[in-house]
Amino acid sequence: MPTARLAEALDGLRAERIGHGISCLGDPALVARLRESQVPLEVCPTSNVCTRQVPGLAAHPLPRLLAEGLFVTLNSDDPPMFGTTLTEEYRRAASVLGLSRAGLAELAANGVRASFLDPDAKQALLAEIDSVAAGSGSGSGSGSAAGGVSAETRA
């Protein structure tokens, strides 16, 4: 999405989140605005590769978006169409893009914060993410928390 359309979505539509907003990196003023406003960017790396928004997964700007201090959620877009799952997006973010366990946990927590869940449900999921990230939660619970919240961010 061209940066002018991103600004138009923020101004004209008062967008509460931006899907596929990786093009914001082409406009430093827009990056600063998104950093300040903390409008969530729904990022779907595999989709971006399949639609040729980026030449390959290793070239995906997810790490840069995070380094810029933007509010990013990790999503899977259309899993059947793009042959991925949310779990696979997290795996690729770690193995190809080099995100740490803490970085992955922050993405999952961002998904919760950006969701339309009620505050009690958000707090419960954030506590579960913290527990899993600290290594004291069950492995099976971590996938359900991350998967459930990111689905909510797409609603």
Side-chain angles (χ1 to χ4, degrees):
M1 176 182 291
T3 57
R5 288 185 50 207
L6 288 174
E8 186 178 303
L10 293 169
D11 296 331
L13 300 175
R14 301 187 200 285
E16 295 180 10
R17 66 190 71 228
I18 300 292
H20 302 286
I22 63 173
S23 67
C24 72
L25 293 171
D27 182 342
L30 182 57
V31 169
R33 179 178 178 185
L34 288 167
R35 182 184 312 110
E36 175 69 26
S37 67
Q38 290 292 286
V39 170
L41 297 177
E42 299 170 345
V43 175
C44 308
T46 299
S47 170
N48 295 148
V49 171
C50 291
T51 60
R52 297 188 176 112
Q53 298 302 304
V54 295
L57 192 57
H60 197 278
L62 175 61
R64 182 171 167 212
L65 293 166
L66 297 170
E68 290 284 354
L70 301 178
F71 188 126
V72 177
T73 65
L74 187 61
N75 301 272
S76 59
D77 200 6
D78 186 343
M81 176 171 271
F82 297 113
T84 191
T85 63
L86 185 59
T87 300
E88 190 58 31
E89 294 295 331
Y90 275 88
R91 284 187 183 124
R92 291 173 181 162
S95 65
V96 178
L97 298 173
L99 270 67
S100 67
R101 182 179 181 105
L104 297 173
E106 186 61 25
L107 285 172
N110 283 349
V112 172
R113 291 181 195 110
S115 76
F116 297 113
L117 290 171
D118 66 78
D120 290 338
K122 284 184 181 187
Q123 280 308 113
L125 286 170
L126 290 170
E128 182 178 349
I129 291 166
D130 286 346
S131 175
V132 171
S136 59
S138 69
S140 62
S142 65
S144 64
V149 300
S150 291
E152 281 295 320
T153 65
R154 301 298 297 168

